[in-house]
Amino acid sequence: HRFLHFRGKVPLQGSLLALPLVAGEVCVGVALFHRDKINSFQFDEVGLYHIIANQIASAVENALLYQQTRELATHDELTGLFNRRVLETRLEMEWERFRRFDITLAFIMVDVDFFKRFNDEFGHLLGDRVLRQVGQLVPEQVRKVDTVARYGGEEFAVLLPRTNKVEAAAVAEKLRAAVASLAIRPDNRDEDIGITISVGVASTEDAPRSAKQLLDMADHALLVSKSSGRNRVTTYGEGQLLV
């Protein structure tokens, strides 16, 4: 019944033949055939239409599989965010735009604080839940033109075109505060555990010589945040890396 949304799309009078499009054991849709005359579909015709429906189902299944394959090539399976490969490609594109038109570009690196504790004390399933929660929250705090990706492990990255350092720092603080409001409860505990992040920010105002150096500057600022107590935002050039 969830597929029979034909009312208003075909005349009410006539004949309608509805055949499920079954791929394996999954119904991926319904093929609707309409004729103007009442009782115009003969029994021996239905077999032919079944063959047509099976061909359509096979084509739909192949299209879905192709789409899933493309998704896996560009997206992180756990969080659904872009993967590192897509991030680096977009970073190079935005770097070229900056180089040609002198349009500011900012980069944010994010690291989930004490992530190893979640895995070691409560198991990897809880760690995965933490990453999914953070991965879902970060895109909600930025613009659609920004690129959010899982960089690797417990690290995330945000690429912000047409954004200066002050604006990027404000976005980073917004991210930090939003994540700090999150909490997660392990199955074997009666209380929630807070989640925090450390953040590093860099921009083209820091005079990087390449896209990779811009990323490295943000990563260095992230390390300063982590060595300075975590749950904080550091911009490149601010503070000192504590060993």
Side-chain angles (χ1 to χ4, degrees):
H1 289 288
R2 65 192 176 97
F3 288 106
L4 298 180
H5 304 303
F6 56 85
R7 291 182 180 177
K9 298 181 181 179
V10 296
L12 294 178
Q13 185 174 351
S15 302
L16 182 73
L17 175 64
L19 295 174
L21 304 179
V22 180
E25 297 180 355
V26 179
C27 183
V28 295
V30 167
L32 303 176
F33 302 94
H34 179 266
R35 286 179 179 173
D36 293 334
K37 294 182 180 180
I38 298 174
N39 297 324
S40 61
F41 288 103
Q42 302 301 316
F43 180 78
D44 56 356
E45 290 182 298
V46 176
L48 173 62
Y49 283 104
H50 264 298
I51 294 174
I52 296 173
N54 288 337
Q55 292 295 320
I56 296 173
S58 178
V60 172
E61 181 183 31
N62 289 337
L64 291 174
L65 287 174
Y66 175 72
Q67 182 179 0
Q68 291 171 3
T69 302
R70 288 193 63 184
E71 286 285 320
L72 289 175
T74 58
H75 289 72
D76 172 60
E77 189 174 0
L78 178 64
T79 63
L81 298 175
F82 286 122
N83 58 26
R84 182 170 175 171
R85 178 181 176 184
V86 173
L87 173 73
E88 292 176 345
T89 299
R90 292 199 176 186
L91 175 58
E92 288 293 340
M93 291 173 55
E94 293 298 338
W95 177 263
E96 281 301 308
R97 189 173 284 113
F98 152 72
R99 194 177 61 82
R100 292 182 62 184
F101 304 110
D102 197 26
I103 298 172
T104 54
L105 176 65
F107 197 89
I108 295 175
M109 288 290 289
V110 175
D111 185 272
V112 179
D113 292 331
F114 304 109
F115 181 72
K116 191 172 184 297
R117 174 195 171 198
F118 291 108
N119 283 336
D120 291 348
E121 294 188 20
F122 307 108
H124 289 275
L125 289 179
L126 186 77
D128 288 349
R129 284 172 56 195
V130 170
L131 293 177
R132 278 193 292 266
Q133 282 197 27
V134 175
Q136 181 179 354
L137 183 65
V138 172
E140 297 173 354
Q141 311 301 316
V142 299
R143 306 166 301 180
K144 290 185 177 180
V145 296
D146 301 327
T147 299
V148 181
R150 184 181 178 194
Y151 192 71
E154 65 271 27
E155 286 189 328
F156 299 85
V158 186
L159 177 63
L160 303 100
R162 299 178 181 271
T163 307
N164 62 38
K165 195 170 183 178
V166 173
E167 294 167 337
V171 173
E173 176 56 29
K174 182 182 176 184
L175 289 176
R176 187 207 62 77
V179 174
S181 68
L182 292 176
I184 194 166
R185 178 169 298 186
D187 294 334
N188 58 349
R189 294 270 300 258
D190 294 329
E191 57 184 17
D192 294 337
I193 299 176
I195 304 172
T196 63
I197 56 173
S198 297
V199 190
V201 180
S203 82
T204 48
E205 295 165 281
D206 295 309
R209 293 187 298 274
S210 65
K212 183 181 182 304
Q213 189 174 29
L214 174 64
L215 190 155
D216 290 342
M217 287 174 168
D219 192 46
H220 180 85
L222 170 62
L223 292 175
V224 174
S225 284
K226 292 171 67 175
S227 69
S228 302
R230 293 182 167 85
N231 190 25
R232 65 186 62 204
V233 174
T234 302
T235 57
Y236 182 77
E238 174 190 2
Q240 217 170 14
L241 183 61
L242 304 177
V243 180

